[in-house]
Amino acid sequence: MTEDIKTLPPSHITPDLIQQHGLSEEEYTQIVTHLGREPNLTELGIFSVMWSEHCSYKSSRIHLKRLPTEGPHVVQGPGENAGAVDIGDGLAAVFKMESHNHPSFIEPFQGAATGVGGILRDIFTMGARPIALLNSLRFGELDTPHNRHLVKGVVSGISWYGNCIGVPTVGGEITFNDIYSKNPLVNVFCLGIVKKDRLLRGLAKGAGNQVLYIGAKTGRDGIHGATMASDSFDDASEKKRPNVQVGDPFLEKLLLEACLEFLEQDLLIGIQDMGAAGLTSSSCEMASRSGTGIELDVAKVPRREPDMTPYDVLLSESQERMLLVAQPGKEDAVLAVCRKWGIDAAVVGRVTDDGVLRIREGDQIVAEIPADAIAEGAPRYDRPSAPPQYQEILQALNLDTLPDVKDPVDALLQLLDCPTIASKRWVFRQYDYMVGTNTVVCPGSDAAVVRIKETGKALAMTTDGNSRYCLLHPYMGGGLAVAEAARNLVCSGAKPLGATDCLNFGNPERPDIMWQFIMAVEGIADACRAFDIPIVSGNVSLYNETNGLSIYPTPIIGMVGLIEREDDITTQWFKQPGDVVVLLGETREDIGGTEYLKIMHSREQGMPPWLDVEREQAVQQCALTLIQKGWVQSAHDCSEGGLLVTLAECCLTHPSTPLGATITLSQERLRLDALLFGESPSRIVLSVTEGNLAHVTQCIQDMEPKVPMSLLGHVTDTDTLAVTVQGEQHATARHLSWPITDLADRWHNGLTRQLGIEHS
């Protein structure tokens, strides 16, 4: 141990100070064991942020090992800034999804904006140029001014950052439920492209190599942001506003271009974003991955505020900053690139071979900790887990006492009007989703699609998750999220290659929350194995709880698929009158956990739809085969709202002219509400030309395993969605009809009506 540390004044670490830093007595004892002495205040702060739930995953890490992370297309799995999959032509798609939930509740604009900035840096630190952003958002119901304020602030922050930096936001999804009123969720996804053999990683190799700081000057914003993100909220949480970072997308654009130039000139050994825990996390993680140490002099770190202590500098989460390790002798070239782009840069340290993170302020050592102890030494908790006593009550739904739908015409109008199902046009019109000229399928279809220039290929991407399913049956909810994401990609003409996840849950110290988490992870893991889709990156966000009320378990799946030929790109809307409407899959009596049950009966109850993995695989493979043969005009998966909502969306989402349809459904032994609004998975609505119908029918009949197929009707040029429901043995028939203009008004304006905004 260096003598300088031994001669520092006593640290005066009290139990209150330990508690203020979010550490338990047991954790503090482990810190003393790692150090062989009492820490000083700076060291306590370092352990506080790095051993926070947000950085260490101490409650989730042992369970995340169950997720499949390897596969034939995987170039980089979990453990780096982002994951990567091989997309051919010597290229890799780099992608990841992360949360910025707590900051977005406290300050929605900057919380969401800096979430976008952070995920962008995760991508371009890998050497990839970002080409697409998506998001997955959860808010409370829009009947309160505060929830409307949160929605408007978050959407504004996302659009501002993405638009300014010039990366298109090409899609996403939003759900509204009162459970998120005090804990909105802001999950952001980014994808970039890089040459597979030029992938950069967060490494600090080579004793004596120089460590450089580049980007924005360090301020006091965001100090203990990681600790805040690892804590539950209460009524005083808005006082934590100083913990929220402030973003500058214009500076990040310069940083992005500089980092890609470093790659072109082969100037770096490693690079890491200063995200959560700032300079502390980037330095110790780079050293720990490489089995080395790093020595930093915080006096050399560029600052924008006076009188900052080493504690402040190390824990600041000021945005738009990176830590680099330069190739030997290329430090001046790195600094020259930074000068070219007008970015602050400084040599702040060097790589060592002793495995220690050593922090100096000039000649004085102010902290000295084994890098592995900070990055990997946090306790790993196998927390108690047990299903809650209310689980059986949640799952119980007696259909005998639930009245069947009496007015299907009104029910469809109400479903299309609810913000979760209604068009999100007001949201995505704020995004510049065409910048970069790669976007092929704009927001509003099952998945976003961007071209891979000069290859003739395209990538489809989506974010999906149904928290109500996960509340009612966490295991099945996790699996259904994977299945829906894959189905959305297939409906766009893509073969799924890999996934990222963002696991949003409540307080893991509660056994019922931990049980939800474990079961959801198992459901995701089993579904990913069944579909052969590895998880290559991800994020866990726990403690999404305010005053003891946790959010619903909300695992979100971001998935990427490859479209080999641009001719295979498929969208969800009907294309022309006369086309035949076909249903792949079959409708079962799946009412539990549906949007219909919530909207029409104010109940969130029952068993969610059961996922038959073999049937799901067969339906997806069938749809993809038909698309690749060129026989499919449109494809749309059945999800929230069921078959009738799916058909309405096929009519309404055409970019220029909505079309009608004439549909016949057979009720047989089903309840009418299950037939029209049940959410059975493994269903896809296709439209095909009359000329291709015989080919489609024969191809489906020849497939093994067999895929159920129903001819539903035809696309029309009328202003009507007309549905005839045949009763059992066709003895009776019920005729339902909706003017397309009425459906369009409800669907296009449902969200803006509740936001109090003039119709878009």
Side-chain angles (χ1 to χ4, degrees):
M1 183 58 61
T2 305
E3 289 298 316
D4 304 55
I5 283 283
K6 291 184 177 180
T7 59
L8 287 175
S11 56
H12 302 295
I13 304 298
T14 65
D16 284 347
L17 193 59
I18 295 168
Q19 186 176 22
Q20 288 171 23
H21 280 73
L23 295 163
S24 67
E25 290 182 14
E26 293 79 8
E27 288 169 344
Y28 182 74
T29 300
Q30 290 183 49
I31 291 169
V32 172
T33 300
H34 278 298
L35 293 176
R37 56 177 172 79
E38 298 281 328
N40 60 41
L41 180 60
T42 299
E43 292 168 330
L44 185 71
I46 289 171
F47 275 106
S48 170
V49 291
M50 290 305 299
W51 283 17
S52 68
E53 192 72 59
H54 189 75
C55 290
S56 72
Y57 288 22
K58 57 190 174 186
S59 298
S60 61
R61 185 171 289 201
I62 62 172
H63 305 292
L64 297 177
K65 291 180 178 179
R66 305 178 191 191
L67 297 171
T69 60
E70 297 179 351
H73 297 283
V74 175
V75 177
Q76 176 63 58
E80 268 292 344
N81 290 302
V85 295
D86 190 337
I87 56 174
D89 299 294
L91 300 174
V94 179
F95 59 94
K96 188 182 183 183
M97 183 163 50
E98 285 206 339
S99 63
H100 232 225
N101 303 335
H102 289 63
S104 298
F105 173 64
I106 295 170
E107 211 301 299
F109 182 91
Q110 286 294 348
T114 52
V116 174
I119 198 67
L120 282 163
R121 291 193 300 278
D122 281 338
I123 300 308
F124 67 76
T125 54
M126 301 288 290
R129 179 173 291 277
I131 63 168
L133 290 160
L134 286 84
N135 51 72
S136 177
L137 311 176
R138 298 291 182 272
F139 299 103
E141 304 284 0
L142 296 174
D143 51 1
T144 69
H146 185 64
N147 286 342
R148 294 194 293 271
H149 162 73
L150 288 174
V151 172
K152 293 174 183 177
V154 165
V155 170
S156 294
I158 289 171
S159 63
W160 173 73
Y161 208 102
N163 293 355
C164 290
I165 197 172
V167 177
T169 301
V170 295
E173 47 123 29
I174 312 177
T175 294
F176 299 86
N177 190 297
D178 267 340
I179 201 69
Y180 301 104
S181 291
K182 292 287 188 180
N183 285 97
L185 303 183
V186 177
N187 294 178
V188 286
F189 168 105
C190 185
L191 178 142
I193 302 292
V194 66
K195 290 182 179 178
K196 189 173 64 171
D197 60 354
R198 301 299 301 277
L199 207 62
L200 287 173
R201 292 174 171 84
L203 300 174
K205 292 183 176 179
N209 286 332
Q210 300 296 293
V211 177
L212 293 90
Y213 168 116
I214 71 167
K217 291 181 171 67
T218 296
R220 288 189 171 89
D221 52 324
I223 292 176
H224 273 295
T227 309
M228 175 198 70
S230 308
D231 197 7
S232 300
F233 277 174
D234 55 30
D235 291 333
S237 292
E238 291 198 15
K239 295 178 182 177
K240 297 180 179 180
R241 196 175 299 270
N243 295 129
V244 179
Q245 310 94 325
V246 177
D248 181 350
F250 302 104
L251 176 58
E252 179 132 330
K253 171 63 173 173
L254 302 176
L255 197 61
L256 185 161
E257 299 299 339
C259 288
L260 296 182
E261 191 164 332
F262 298 150
L263 175 67
E264 290 173 6
Q265 297 186 30
D266 192 24
L267 302 180
L268 302 181
I269 288 172
I271 181 171
Q272 178 103 348
D273 166 41
M274 292 190 211
L279 184 57
T280 293
S281 63
S282 56
S283 55
C284 71
E285 287 174 359
M286 291 177 79
S288 178
R289 282 192 199 109
S290 308
T292 59
I294 285 183
E295 183 175 285
L296 298 175
D297 184 352
V298 293
K300 296 178 179 178
V301 171
R303 310 180 192 192
R304 65 169 182 262
E305 295 185 40
D307 304 321
M308 291 186 70
T309 65
Y311 183 102
D312 296 335
V313 173
L314 290 166
L315 272 60
S316 167
E317 293 184 10
S318 295
Q319 295 290 285
E320 293 86 39
R321 302 179 303 156
M322 320 286 281
L323 199 67
L324 322 175
V325 176
Q327 293 273 14
K330 295 187 178 181
E331 302 85 359
D332 289 342
V334 171
L335 295 172
V337 171
C338 292
R339 285 194 297 272
K340 169 185 171 181
W341 291 101
I343 297 170
D344 282 309
V347 176
V348 295
R350 62 185 181 90
V351 178
T352 64
D353 60 4
D354 60 4
V356 171
L357 176 65
R358 185 173 295 104
I359 308 299
R360 294 181 177 273
E361 187 177 35
D363 294 333
Q364 186 179 37
I365 296 176
V366 296
E368 196 171 61
I369 310 172
D372 270 345
I374 322 170
E376 298 292 334
R380 300 185 183 185
Y381 295 126
D382 187 1
R383 295 192 184 277
S385 65
Q389 294 180 350
Y390 56 76
Q391 196 67 33
E392 290 186 6
I393 298 173
L394 280 175
Q395 292 177 345
L397 178 65
N398 187 350
L399 292 180
D400 293 335
T401 64
L402 184 74
D404 205 339
V405 60
K406 290 184 172 57
D407 187 351
V409 173
D410 178 65
L412 177 59
L413 292 172
Q414 288 198 49
L415 281 165
L416 292 177
D417 196 51
C418 78
T420 293
I421 289 177
S423 168
K424 308 306 185 296
R425 182 172 61 173
W426 172 82
V427 176
F428 62 70
R429 283 181 66 178
Q430 298 180 57
Y431 304 148
D432 186 349
Y433 49 79
M434 294 303 295
V435 64
T437 68
N438 291 312
T439 308
V440 182
V441 177
C442 302
S445 195
D446 282 315
V449 179
V450 296
R451 68 171 54 87
I452 311 168
K453 289 180 178 175
E454 301 178 359
T455 67
K457 299 178 181 179
L459 290 172
M461 61 204 79
T462 185
T463 56
D464 290 288
N466 188 311
S467 58
R468 194 180 302 121
Y469 292 171
C470 289
L471 173 72
L472 301 176
H473 196 298
Y475 176 87
M476 191 56 58
L480 286 165
V482 174
E484 183 179 359
R487 201 181 319 127
N488 280 326
L489 296 185
V490 165
C491 286
S492 301
K495 175 180 174 56
L497 295 184
T500 180
D501 58 24
C502 202
L503 308 178
N504 308 271
F505 289 78
N507 185 344
E509 297 167 45
R510 288 173 43 183
D512 58 327
I513 302 298
M514 205 64 227
W515 174 78
Q516 290 175 340
F517 181 86
I518 293 169
M519 296 304 294
V521 168
E522 288 185 353
I524 292 169
D526 287 349
C528 283
R529 286 192 184 90
F531 295 120
D532 196 22
I533 302 172
I535 299 286
V536 299
S537 60
N539 172 244
V540 177
S541 174
L542 302 178
Y543 293 96
N544 291 287
E545 175 181 285
T546 297
N547 293 330
L549 179 65
S550 287
I551 62 165
Y552 289 168
T554 312
I556 302 297
I557 301 297
M559 196 175 289
V560 175
L562 181 65
I563 302 174
E564 292 281 357
R565 303 180 309 157
E566 287 196 39
D567 288 346
D568 293 337
I569 296 170
T570 310
T571 51
Q572 70 181 38
W573 48 84
F574 291 148
K575 300 301 185 295
Q576 62 186 19
D579 286 347
V580 182
V581 181
V582 176
L583 175 67
L584 299 183
E586 63 182 330
T587 302
R588 303 187 300 266
E589 202 154 80
D590 289 314
I591 292 294
T594 59
E595 197 69 18
Y596 164 81
L597 195 64
K598 176 179 182 287
I599 297 300
M600 301 306 297
H601 295 279
S602 301
R603 296 171 74 171
E604 297 182 278
Q605 196 176 3
M607 288 292 288
W610 196 261
L611 176 64
D612 182 331
V613 173
E614 291 184 1
R615 169 62 57 81
E616 181 73 45
Q617 288 175 313
V619 167
Q620 290 188 21
Q621 185 55 54
C622 178
L624 190 58
T625 298
L626 297 174
I627 288 171
Q628 291 173 343
K629 288 181 178 294
W631 295 337
V632 174
Q633 294 280 80
S634 69
H636 188 18
D637 88 302
C638 290
S639 55
E640 286 89 355
L643 180 57
L644 206 49
V645 166
T646 301
L647 290 166
E649 289 174 342
C650 291
C651 292
L652 296 172
T653 52
H654 193 286
S656 56
T657 307
L659 294 168
T662 300
I663 302 295
T664 299
L665 302 175
S666 178
Q667 187 171 352
E668 298 182 349
R669 293 177 296 278
L670 289 175
R671 291 168 57 105
L672 184 58
D673 52 9
L675 174 67
L676 300 179
F677 306 113
E679 295 177 4
S680 300
S682 313
R683 294 182 299 167
I684 296 174
V685 171
L686 307 176
S687 66
V688 302
T689 64
E690 284 277 9
N692 283 327
L693 180 59
H695 298 303
V696 167
T697 303
Q698 187 63 52
C699 184
I700 294 173
Q701 290 174 350
D702 292 343
M703 285 189 173
E704 290 293 343
K706 295 298 182 184
V707 173
M709 169 192 169
S710 307
L711 299 180
L712 300 186
H714 290 82
V715 181
T716 68
D717 57 3
T718 63
D719 183 35
T720 304
L721 172 60
V723 177
T724 298
V725 179
Q726 297 282 4
E728 288 192 40
Q729 289 148 2
H730 305 285
T732 59
R734 185 167 185 172
H735 301 285
L736 309 171
S737 180
W738 297 264
I740 292 296
T741 50
D742 289 355
L743 297 177
D745 174 66
R746 293 297 186 104
W747 186 74
H748 282 300
N749 301 314
L751 177 58
T752 52
R753 244 191 302 266
Q754 293 210 28
L755 284 169
I757 296 169
E758 289 188 12
H759 295 172
S760 56

